[in-house]
Amino acid sequence: KLSQSGELPVIRHSHANYMEHFMQRLLDARNAPEQETWFLKLDDEMDNLRSAVEWTLAHQQPSLAFKAGTPFHYWDQKWNYRDPIDWLERSLAIEHHGDPKERVVALTALGGLLTEVGYHKKENLQRARGYFESALVLYRELGDKDGIADCLSSLGNNIWKEKEIEKAREYFEQALEIYPERNSWGYAITLLNLGSLAIIRGDYDEALDDYMRGREICARIGAEAGASFFDWMLCKLALAQRKLDEALTHVQNLLKAGWLNTNPLVRRLFCSYEGYIQLLLGNKPEAQKILSDALEATLEYFEISSILPGEKGDFWFIFDGKARLELMGGNFERAAILFGVAWTQREEAMLLPTAA
C-alpha cells in the first residue's frame, strides 16, 4: 500500500537522511572520548545502515556511502573490510556534485582500507596508492593542510608494507612538517609509525621519545583508543629491551581500554601479551592459563582473517610462548612446530606498520 500510494520513496528518503545525519555525528566523535559509544550505537543500526546505503547507491546518491565507509577503526575492530570497500568503490563511481571534501575523504578512506587488506595482495596496495595520490592532488587544490599531511602519512604506511622503509620514513617526516595542529590524531599516529621504524633501526631511545610524545597527544585530546595503541607499542618496545616489568605495566594499561571491552575476541588476543610476559617472568601457571585461551582466540582470528586478509604477525609470541610451555612439558615435536610458526609470524611483524 505504501508503494501504491507513493509514500514509500518518501519514507526511504527520510530514512537515508536520518542515517546520513547519524553517520556524520559518529564521524564527528572519532578519536574523542565518545567514539566507543557511537561505535556501539552503529552496531545497533547496522541493518538500517546497510539498507539505506543500498537504496542511496541505487538512486545514484553517494554521500551516505562516503560517510559509511569512512570510520576505519570501526570496520577494523569488526574485521569487516568488504562492506566499506564495496560501498566506497561504488560511490566513487557515481558523479558527485556536492562538497568536494566528501569525495576526497572517501578516496583517502578507501586507500586506507585497501592498504590494511593489502599485505597478502600487492595489487591492493597499488590500488590504494592510486587513491591516495588522487586524494593528495585534490587536498592540495583545496589547500587542506590536514588532508595533505594525512595523505602523506597514509602513503608512508602503504609504502612501508612494500618494505620500502626509508621512503616510508620520508613520507612520515614530511607529514609531521605539514600538520598545522600538533595536538591531533594524525600527528600522533605519524609519531607512532616513526617510533616503530626507529625500533627496526635499533634506535630504542628515539622510539621511546616518539611513543611518549604521541601518547601524551592522545591523552590531551581524549583519544582513549589512540592512547591504548601507544601502550601496545610501549609494551613491545619494553619486550624488545627485556624490560619485563615495564612491559607488564604497559599491557595492563592497554587492557583497560574501553574499545577492547566491547570486542572480547580482540581483548583475548591482547591478553596474550600479559601471558607471554608472565611466562618470561617465571609465572608458569598464570602464563599457561592466559596463553591457552589466547591460542584459541588466535585460531578464531586466523579463520576470520583468511577471509578478510590481514596481518597476523603481531601475535607471533603466542606461538612462541606455547612452544616454550610444550618444551617444558617434554613435548619436543609440538614445541618445534610452534616455534616454527612463531618465527614465521615474527618475520612478518618486524616490518609491518600500525594501522591508523
Side-chain angles (χ1 to χ4, degrees):
K1 289 183 179 181
L2 285 172
S3 180
Q4 290 174 356
S5 68
E7 293 180 33
L8 184 57
V10 175
I11 293 172
R12 296 299 299 267
H13 183 72
S14 296
H15 180 237
N17 284 343
Y18 164 78
M19 290 309 306
E20 187 165 353
H21 177 69
F22 174 92
M23 287 305 304
Q24 186 58 58
R25 292 187 67 187
L26 181 146
L27 294 175
D28 291 342
R30 281 181 303 169
N31 306 315
E34 59 270 24
Q35 171 179 279
E36 298 310 314
T37 299
W38 279 97
F39 282 3
L40 289 172
K41 290 180 180 180
L42 182 52
D43 287 344
D44 293 336
E45 292 283 1
M46 186 52 61
D47 289 342
N48 286 328
L49 179 64
R50 286 195 172 98
S51 174
V53 167
E54 291 302 327
W55 187 84
T56 54
L57 289 175
H59 288 78
Q60 300 296 295
Q61 300 171 20
S63 292
L64 175 57
F66 286 164
K67 290 180 173 66
T70 297
F72 174 86
H73 287 295
Y74 175 81
W75 297 113
D76 189 46
Q77 287 179 21
K78 304 300 178 185
W79 294 319
N80 179 358
Y81 307 105
R82 286 183 175 177
D83 281 338
I85 287 172
D86 175 60
W87 294 341
L88 289 170
E89 287 182 330
R90 290 160 62 196
S91 62
L92 287 165
I94 297 171
E95 190 171 351
H96 181 241
H97 302 289
D99 184 350
K101 182 70 176 288
E102 283 189 342
R103 181 176 179 82
V104 71
V105 168
L107 284 167
T108 308
L110 181 53
L113 290 160
L114 286 169
T115 295
E116 183 62 16
V117 300
Y119 179 65
H120 298 292
K121 291 188 177 181
K122 190 172 183 179
E123 62 269 25
N124 282 337
L125 293 177
Q126 293 168 345
R127 286 168 59 207
R129 197 173 305 173
Y131 287 121
F132 287 139
E133 289 169 350
S134 296
L136 188 57
V137 170
L138 293 174
Y139 276 127
R140 283 174 171 154
E141 289 176 359
L142 293 169
D144 186 330
K145 287 188 176 181
D146 274 313
I148 293 167
D150 283 342
C151 258
L152 289 171
S153 188
S154 295
L155 278 165
N157 214 26
N158 179 280
I159 288 168
W160 185 350
K161 291 200 177 188
E162 295 271 27
K163 307 298 189 291
E164 297 183 43
I165 305 300
E166 285 307 310
K167 192 172 181 181
R169 183 182 178 186
E170 290 174 13
Y171 274 113
F172 293 141
E173 290 176 344
Q174 287 178 48
L176 288 187
E177 290 295 320
I178 293 171
Y179 275 115
E181 175 56 64
R182 295 301 186 255
N183 289 326
S184 69
W185 167 255
Y187 194 90
I189 207 67
T190 303
L191 283 172
L192 186 147
N193 279 323
L194 278 170
S196 297
L197 288 181
I199 290 178
I200 292 173
R201 297 195 309 276
D203 191 339
Y204 294 154
D205 289 339
E206 182 177 329
L208 179 61
D209 181 64
D210 288 338
Y211 288 161
M212 293 304 296
R213 287 168 60 202
R215 197 191 188 289
E216 288 169 6
I217 291 170
C218 289
R220 280 199 295 271
I221 65 177
E224 185 205 46
S228 72
F229 294 156
F230 282 98
D231 289 328
W232 180 23
M233 294 299 110
L234 286 163
C235 171
K236 292 166 75 172
L237 174 60
L239 273 174
Q241 298 175 285
R242 303 291 291 185
K243 297 178 179 179
L244 300 182
D245 290 331
E246 284 186 27
L248 187 60
T249 298
H250 291 310
V251 77
Q252 288 172 344
N253 288 336
L254 163 65
L255 293 173
K256 295 174 185 176
W259 72 273
L260 281 178
N261 291 324
T262 61
N263 292 272
L265 180 58
V266 184
R267 193 179 193 284
R268 288 167 63 201
L269 285 171
F270 280 105
C271 280
S272 59
Y273 280 89
E274 183 177 4
Y276 190 65
I277 295 165
Q278 294 286 6
L279 179 61
L280 296 180
L281 287 169
N283 301 326
K284 183 180 174 182
E286 185 68 12
Q288 176 78 58
K289 178 182 174 182
I290 296 173
L291 287 172
S292 294
D293 181 69
L295 183 58
E296 290 181 14
T298 304
L299 296 175
E300 290 179 43
Y301 166 61
F302 279 21
E303 184 177 349
I304 295 171
S305 60
S306 67
I307 301 170
L308 304 168
E311 289 143 10
K312 305 170 184 178
D314 276 318
F315 299 97
W316 62 268
F317 56 86
I318 299 174
F319 296 96
D320 185 88
K322 285 294 289 181
R324 291 169 187 252
L325 288 167
E326 294 290 348
L327 197 61
M328 291 177 190
N331 301 317
F332 303 119
E333 185 175 345
R334 182 164 171 76
I337 293 170
L338 288 166
F339 274 129
V341 174
W343 282 97
T344 300
Q345 297 299 328
R346 188 181 184 189
E347 288 302 304
E348 288 185 6
M350 289 300 292
L351 295 177
L352 292 176
T354 299

